[in-house]
Amino acid sequence: MTPRHIDLPKLSESGCLATREILERIGDKWSLYVVGSLHTGPRRFNELRREVNGVSQRMLTLTLRGLERDGLVTRTVFHSIPPRVEYGLTELGRTLLEPVAVLIHWANNSRSAIEMARARYDTDKHEVSCSTCNTHRD
Amino acid sequence: MTPRHIDLPKLSESGCLATREILERIGDKWSLYVVGSLHTGPRRFNELRREVNGVSQRMLTLTLRGLERDGLVTRTVFHSIPPRVEYGLTELGRTLLEPVAVLIHWANNSRSAIEMARARYDTDKHEVSCSTCNTHRD
DNA sequence: CAGGATCCCAGTGGATACTG
DNA sequence: CAGTATCCACTGGGATCCTG
């Protein structure tokens, strides 16, 4: 487990910028929930609003617009009365599910470790540093 | 390519919450750059500051503290004069590189598609909707 | 039903100045 | 060198009200 050198293509240059754009796309407060909901099929606006617990109408709209603009989500309008709008994942949007799934696995596997680390950090005043100085602790 | 059903463990429940926490961890403005820099080995504070282009001292500090608190980064203090502090990835931090790498690949592969989608969205007033109404366009 | 328009607040992050 | 402290601007996001 944990090979020493992962293939990180140019994380420190342009690739990183691209990645941060992605993270800002799916890293905002709601995109992931929306994509998660859409994963199992298209939804109407208020369906999403109910499924994505806690989202405001404003943020749902903004989130969907953003995802639509980036070609991850389709928006289909039916000019019926009452109006009906359906949102669904595009091909591109579906490909996003793969990296997200990997991330979710990592999150689930690491959650306890992270929580423990946090607890330790908050308890131990992490003021230890090296005892003899000039020597690595570890 | 693009299998229809990805393994998305409970994206809509707790797994999603955990994932959002992760996204907030690495999805902030600098964490990914820092982890990316640290990927090739430990760094001193000002080394990081130089490598992570554009980061302010304040944000670098906050980012490193956060990563340290979550057990992703180690901080080793040498009480020499001048003071010397080295940051490096922990085991846990290294495991994060895997999902991040997947995400970076997706980002790089999808970037042009996303940019095209954006351009189209901004040009076409995306005011098309269905032409005959009540029928899916697709 | 689907959302646009407003108002407002809290948190994020930048700039600058100071310290051990 | 490696920070801490302060002040401030910007924006993400919630609440509320209004419209086609």
Side-chain angles (χ1 to χ4, degrees):
Chain A
M1 230 220 226
T2 67
R4 283 314 121 157
H5 257 261
I6 308 274
D7 176 26
L8 272 194
K10 310 168 191 166
L11 184 58
S12 34
E13 350 172 347
S14 67
C16 191
L17 287 169
T19 305
R20 283 219 57 254
E21 283 176 23
I22 299 310
L23 286 178
E24 276 171 7
R25 159 82 291 131
I26 65 169
D28 65 357
K29 197 164 178 183
W30 302 109
S31 290
L32 199 63
Y33 288 95
V34 170
V35 172
S37 259
L38 259 30
H39 173 228
T40 53
R43 294 283 189 288
R44 300 179 57 176
F45 188 85
N46 278 333
E47 284 178 333
L48 279 174
R49 200 172 163 189
R50 261 170 263 122
E51 287 190 25
V52 179
N53 210 301
V55 71
S56 67
Q57 156 263 71
R58 170 186 140 92
M59 288 319 298
L60 183 53
T61 300
L62 289 181
T63 301
L64 287 168
R65 287 294 175 279
L67 292 171
E68 185 196 1
R69 184 168 116 98
D70 284 355
L72 301 174
V73 155
T74 58
R75 177 187 137 103
T76 310
V77 179
F78 302 91
H79 289 154
S80 54
I81 298 192
R84 174 191 181 84
V85 180
E86 271 195 2
Y87 296 91
L89 288 181
T90 63
E91 278 303 310
L92 187 59
R94 268 188 286 273
T95 66
L96 174 58
L97 294 172
E98 298 185 45
V100 167
V102 174
L103 209 55
I104 290 181
H105 276 114
W106 188 88
N108 283 331
N109 292 338
S110 309
R111 178 144 63 145
S112 58
I114 289 182
E115 281 169 3
M116 280 172 50
R118 282 186 187 172
R120 284 227 337 224
Y121 185 92
D122 294 341
T123 310
D124 307 5
K125 284 323 188 187
H126 64 282
E127 287 299 275
V128 195
S129 82
C130 53
S131 50
T132 59
C133 292
N134 275 349
T135 79
H136 237 252
R137 50 171 156 162
D138 190 12
Chain B
M1 231 220 231
T2 67
R4 283 312 121 159
H5 256 263
I6 309 273
D7 176 25
L8 271 195
K10 309 166 189 168
L11 184 58
S12 34
E13 349 172 348
S14 66
C16 191
L17 287 170
T19 306
R20 284 220 58 251
E21 283 176 23
I22 300 309
L23 287 177
E24 277 171 7
R25 159 84 288 132
I26 66 170
D28 65 357
K29 198 166 178 182
W30 302 109
S31 289
L32 198 63
Y33 288 94
V34 171
V35 172
S37 258
L38 259 29
H39 172 227
T40 54
R43 293 285 189 287
R44 300 179 58 176
F45 187 86
N46 278 332
E47 285 177 334
L48 279 174
R49 199 173 165 188
R50 261 171 261 124
E51 287 188 25
V52 179
N53 210 304
V55 70
S56 68
Q57 148 268 70
R58 172 186 138 91
M59 288 318 297
L60 182 52
T61 300
L62 290 181
T63 302
L64 287 169
R65 287 293 175 280
L67 292 171
E68 185 196 359
R69 185 168 115 96
D70 285 355
L72 300 174
V73 155
T74 58
R75 175 187 138 103
T76 309
V77 179
F78 301 92
H79 289 153
S80 54
I81 298 190
R84 173 191 181 86
V85 180
E86 274 195 359
Y87 294 92
L89 289 181
T90 63
E91 278 303 309
L92 188 59
R94 269 188 285 271
T95 66
L96 174 58
L97 294 171
E98 298 184 44
V100 167
V102 174
L103 209 55
I104 290 181
H105 276 114
W106 187 87
N108 283 331
N109 293 338
S110 309
R111 177 143 65 145
S112 59
I114 289 182
E115 280 169 4
M116 280 172 51
R118 282 187 187 173
R120 285 229 334 228
Y121 184 92
D122 295 340
T123 311
D124 307 5
K125 284 321 189 193
H126 63 280
E127 288 298 276
V128 196
S129 83
C130 52
S131 51
T132 59
C133 292
N134 276 349
T135 78
H136 237 253
R137 51 171 155 161
D138 188 15

